[in-house]
Amino acid sequence: LATSFPGAHCVGGDIDPTGAARARAGVREAGLEGRITVLEGDVAEVVQAASCAAVVMIEVLHEISPHLRPHVVGACARALDAGGWLLIVDETYPATLAEARDPEFRFPLQTGFEELLWGNVLPTRAEQESLLRSAGFSGEIRRELIGEGFTVLAVQKPRAR
């Protein structure tokens, strides 16, 4: 993102100290220390340190315990400026047997079984949308399938009136 948007300052966060350290090393190697800040900690602590035009979560949502997801998505919403965007790239698990037979869900179905071994649960479309609505996103939830079963969710924080 920092390379593609030279005027942007990017903030990354990870709850895992090893992940944060690896990210900081990558930032140094890329020579982007002045443009990217990597914070370590709970998402609520990380996002308090920034006011964001966009929050991007790639392959993160399903890694978060279902009971913590409202906390995480809510913290992301609070970090956004009015009119800012939350972008989530993740799998969407089928909610019905009919959906499980749909080729669109082939990869998420396989991934869902694999992720269960690690204790991760892929959310269904209804669960994703409920999380976004509960976090205060009232507008259109844009949903697009990319690649072999990845869903891109994009939702805009309401603008101040």
Side-chain angles (χ1 to χ4, degrees):
L1 286 172
T3 302
S4 296
F5 298 94
H9 179 85
C10 299
V11 178
D14 200 323
I15 197 166
D16 176 53
T18 303
R22 292 183 80 187
R24 287 186 192 102
V27 169
R28 277 191 304 279
E29 289 172 18
L32 295 169
E33 294 97 325
R35 305 249 337 279
I36 301 174
T37 303
V38 177
L39 302 172
E40 179 187 325
D42 177 273
V43 67
E45 298 163 6
V46 170
V47 296
Q48 283 178 0
S51 174
C52 306
V55 173
V56 180
M57 296 173 57
I58 300 175
E59 285 291 288
V60 173
L61 186 61
H62 76 271
E63 300 279 341
I64 301 166
S65 179
H67 76 279
L68 294 175
R69 289 176 186 165
H71 167 74
V72 172
V73 175
C76 291
R78 287 188 298 280
L80 286 170
D81 298 332
W85 287 89
L86 173 61
L87 179 74
I88 299 173
V89 180
D90 216 318
E91 293 93 354
T92 300
Y93 200 73
T96 65
L97 185 56
E99 282 184 349
R101 292 183 178 120
D102 186 325
E104 171 183 331
F105 292 98
R106 187 177 305 138
F107 179 75
L109 191 62
Q110 173 190 337
T111 301
F113 284 123
E114 293 169 356
E115 291 287 337
L116 280 175
L117 295 174
W118 301 312
N120 299 331
V121 178
L122 271 65
T124 65
R125 178 182 184 135
E127 290 166 337
Q128 292 166 339
E129 293 180 1
S130 176
L131 284 167
L132 295 170
R133 295 296 181 219
S134 295
F137 294 101
S138 56
E140 176 188 7
I141 298 173
R142 298 179 186 181
R143 174 182 293 277
E144 183 177 336
L145 187 69
I146 61 168
E148 185 65 31
F150 291 96
T151 303
V152 178
L153 298 166
V155 63
Q156 189 175 26
K157 185 172 183 174
R159 294 189 184 276
R161 291 186 176 183

